[in-house]
């Protein structure tokens, strides 16, 4: 009898629970305007025949250096996005392992003439060099998106979505450096930010400034700013260091100061050089050294301890979002939008995770 009662009670409780769940679910079956969400979520009938009218969308992504591996996760992200929307994505770029905007522009001039292209994504490292490309694409009705490097002067900038890292993300490294000093119990010394404005990269200059400001603020908030000398040069864009011999330049900087306890480098030229300088001067594990990008040299330096940490640009997003942006412009008529990919701080403790899903 007890068993029968227990089963009945359980059934009643279950029934009550289901009833309450349905009553409190807050499910929405259709829009206030009367249409169904399922129907509204479908792709527009004309989308697959946009521009090329060949029954499928084809996007091209062109970078200024496909030869050093940095853009590999960008291409992965673009491929993932293409697979999600059923689009073909052409992965193109200069074969050079170093920046080669001239070759990129050559490829762009070819691809913009391709009648099968429905959307164009490109990096823009050489300010002012891409207006003819944009003009040609727009004349053919091909939407354009930029990624990674930013050209604020490009034709129709406000109408072109950009995906990339804002230089302010370098503040993350500055904040980490201050925490590192505290964790190591370092109470005084010099913090140097070597760089070179001669390279003409405004983004790098801004990174150095952002890191410098974050370091100063962090030390000031901790009441320790007077005990440290934070030096990023007269304009706070970096202590001028020879980009053609960055290792020796940083070693000389360390030796001239004699009390360096922290350092930050803002790009792929000076970050590996910073790590080598730390090793050569016997400061491995003794100072807080942070840099930029997550290439093989940076990863090895973090594993050895020559580099405390480095910031990644989350380049997967720099491939994924532009493809989705162009698709939304074509299928939904959504206006171009910008995405700040921020930064991923990687240290010795997390460096083994880099690249496991081809995302860094």
């Amino acid at each position: 009898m007890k068993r029968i009662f227990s089963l009945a009670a359980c059934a009643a409780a279950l029934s009550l629970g289901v009833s309450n769940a349905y009553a409190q679910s807050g499910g929405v079956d259709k829009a206030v305007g009367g249409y169904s969400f399922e129907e509204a979520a479908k792709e527009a009938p004309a989308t697959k025949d946009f521009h090329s009218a060949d029954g499928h969308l084809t996007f091209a992504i062109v970078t200024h250096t496909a030869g050093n591996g940095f853009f590999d996760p960008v291409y992965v992200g673009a491929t993932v996005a293409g697979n999600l929307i059923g689009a073909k994505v052409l992965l193109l770029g200069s074969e050079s392992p170093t920046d080669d905007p001239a070759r990129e522009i050559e490829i762009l001039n070819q691809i913009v003439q391709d009648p099968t292209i429905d959307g164009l994504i490109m990096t823009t490292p050489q300010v002012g060099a891409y207006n003819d490309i944009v003009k040609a694409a727009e004349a053919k009705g091909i939407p354009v998106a930029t990624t990674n490097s930013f050209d604020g002067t490009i034709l129709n900038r406000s109408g072109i979505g950009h995906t990339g890292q804002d230089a302010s993300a370098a503040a993350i490294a500055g904040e980490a450096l201050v925490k590192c000093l505290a964790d190591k119990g370092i109470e005084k010394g010099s913090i140097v930010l070597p760089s070179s404005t001669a390279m003409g990269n405004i983004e790098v200059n801004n990174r150095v400034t952002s890191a410098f400001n974050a370091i100063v603020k962090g030390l000031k908030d901790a009441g320790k700013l007077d005990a440290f000398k934070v030096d990023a040069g007269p304009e706070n864009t970096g202590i001028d260091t020879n980009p053609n011999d960055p290792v020796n330049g940083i070693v000389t900087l360390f030796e001239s100061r004699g009390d360096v306890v922290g350092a930050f480098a803002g790009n792929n030229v000076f970050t590996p050089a910073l790590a080598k300088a730390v090793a050569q001067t016997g400061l491995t594990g003794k100072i807080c050294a942070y840099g930029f990008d997550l290439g093989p040299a940076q990863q090895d330096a973090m594993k050895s301890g020559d580099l405390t940490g480095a910031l990644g640009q989350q380049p997967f997003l720099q491939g994924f979002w532009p493809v989705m942006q162009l698709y939304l412009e074509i299928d939904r008529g959504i206006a171009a939008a910008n995405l700040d990919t921020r930064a991923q701080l990687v240290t010795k403790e997390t460096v083994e995770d880099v690249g496991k899903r081809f995302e860094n």
Side-chain angles (χ1 to χ4, degrees), residues 170-180 211 214-215 218:
I172 295 172
E175 293 163 359
L177 193 154
V178 173
K179 183 178 185 301
C180 172
I215 294 168

Side-chain angles (χ1 to χ4, degrees), residues 22-313:
Y22 274 116
Q24 299 175 21
S25 68
V28 180
D29 296 322
K30 62 181 180 180
V32 175
Y35 58 84
S36 75
F37 293 120
E38 183 177 353
E39 185 65 28
K42 292 180 180 178
E43 184 177 86
T47 292
K48 287 289 193 293
D49 282 324
F50 176 80
H51 184 251
S52 60
D54 56 7
H56 67 272
L57 292 173
T58 299
F59 298 145
I61 181 167
V62 188
T63 75
H64 55 278
T65 168
N68 66 13
F70 173 85
F71 284 104
D72 287 352
V74 175
Y75 295 135
V76 173
T79 302
V80 170
N83 290 344
L84 286 174
I85 61 175
K88 181 179 180 180
V89 181
L90 304 181
L91 311 177
L92 306 168
S94 167
E95 301 84 351
S96 172
T98 59
D99 290 1
D100 188 2
R103 173 61 177 145
E104 181 201 13
I105 291 171
E106 181 183 342
I107 296 169
L108 285 167
N109 279 317
Q110 294 173 349
I111 204 69
V112 79
Q113 303 301 326
D114 187 335
T116 69
I117 297 299
D118 299 297
L120 179 62
I121 301 158
M122 60 185 179
T123 60
T124 54
Q126 187 172 324
V127 174
Y130 304 89
N131 288 347
D132 288 343
I133 304 296
V134 174
K135 192 178 297 183
E138 290 185 346
K140 295 176 180 294
I142 300 172
V144 176
T146 60
T147 194
N148 183 255
S149 47
F150 182 74
D151 178 1
T153 70
I154 200 168
L155 184 69
N156 191 26
R157 176 75 275 175
S158 297
I160 295 176
H162 179 74
T163 303
Q165 182 189 64
D166 187 86
S168 63
I172 295 172
E175 293 163 359
L177 193 154
V178 173
K179 183 178 185 301
C180 172
L181 293 172
D183 291 344
K184 288 181 178 292
I186 297 173
E187 296 293 333
K188 62 180 180 179
S190 292
I191 301 169
V192 294
L193 293 81
S195 192
S196 173
T197 57
M199 298 178 69
N201 193 322
I202 301 300
E203 194 72 13
V204 174
N205 299 345
N206 292 338
R207 287 176 188 170
V208 174
T209 301
S210 293
F212 169 83
N213 289 337
I215 294 168
V216 170
K217 181 180 184 301
L219 292 173
K220 185 177 181 180
D221 290 347
K224 297 182 177 181
L225 182 58
D226 291 343
F228 293 89
K229 181 179 179 181
V230 188
D231 189 354
E235 303 295 328
N236 296 334
T237 54
I239 301 170
D240 189 39
T241 307
N242 185 358
N244 297 314
D245 191 11
V247 177
N248 285 331
I250 297 175
V251 168
T252 300
L253 177 61
F254 282 5
E255 292 175 343
S256 68
R257 300 302 168 95
D259 65 344
V260 173
V261 295
F264 170 81
N267 65 2
N268 194 42
V269 173
F270 285 100
T271 298
L274 170 60
K276 290 180 180 179
V278 167
Q280 288 185 24
T281 53
L283 293 174
T284 301
K286 299 177 183 178
I287 73 170
C288 300
Y290 288 82
F292 244 83
D293 291 339
L294 301 175
Q298 286 89 329
Q299 292 181 43
D300 289 342
M302 283 185 280
K303 292 173 184 176
S304 68
D306 298 329
L307 198 63
T308 312
L311 295 180
Q313 299 187 45

